[in-house]
Structure formats: structure tokens, C-alpha cells
Amino acid sequence: MHYVVHCVDHEGAVEKRLAHYDAHKAYLASAPVKTVISGPLLADDNETMIGSMFVLEADSKDAVIAFNAADPFRKAGLWKSVSIHPFNKRVDNR
């Protein structure tokens, strides 16, 4: 099953994001769920990072919740809000 994880940073958290970026990338590379696609959300200036978005493949929502809880960004308190929803992928034009 696929899941969308949408995370919005606390305001002004770019420095905190950058400080934990290497640990976050290493975690994603070794995580127990498959990342289909992920990347930072951007402000309207198309440059400033303001959050994260993931499409994950996992056996259950509980696995995705555990994945998110162990992310170094989450542990650092970067995200103001996190929403996790099942996702029915119908089109993939890659």
C-alpha cells in the first residue's frame, strides 16, 4: 500500500532543517519502508524549504507512523504538523 506523508516545518526552521539534513538522508537510505518519492516542500519563492513530502510503500499505516516517528527531522522537532494518509496511486507517468 502507498501512503502520503505531508510535513510542515515550524516557521523559520531552515537552519534546524539544514543541521539535521545529513542524518535525515542517512535515515531514509536505511529505513524499513520503501520511499517511492520524497523531497522538501517549498515556499512561494520556489527556494525556501518549509516542509517535507513523502510517498511511501509500506505494509501498514502503523509502519509509516513508526517510520516518521524515528526520522531525525521529527526527533529534532522540525515539523509543526504531520499528516499521514493512504494513497491509491492510479497514474504514474515516470
Side-chain angles (χ1 to χ4, degrees), residues 67-81:
F67 158 82
N68 182 262
D71 190 303
F73 280 172
R74 179 76 176 245
K75 288 181 173 184
L78 176 67
W79 294 320
K80 178 174 134 180
S81 67

Side-chain angles (χ1 to χ4, degrees), residues 13-81:
V14 172
E15 293 303 319
K16 182 183 274 191
R17 173 176 278 277
L18 294 175
H20 297 280
Y21 184 66
D22 289 338
H24 169 73
K25 278 182 55 178
Y27 175 70
L28 293 182
S30 67
V33 300
K34 180 182 176 188
T35 300
V36 177
I37 190 168
S38 68
L41 299 173
L42 302 176
D44 289 338
D45 65 5
N46 295 326
E47 192 174 303
T48 306
M49 295 177 285
I50 60 166
S52 303
M53 197 283 298
F54 308 86
V55 175
L56 304 172
E57 188 175 312
D59 293 332
S60 68
K61 186 172 182 177
D62 287 340
V64 175
I65 291 168
F67 158 82
N68 182 262
D71 190 303
F73 280 172
R74 179 76 176 245
K75 288 181 173 184
L78 176 67
W79 294 320
K80 178 174 134 180
S81 67

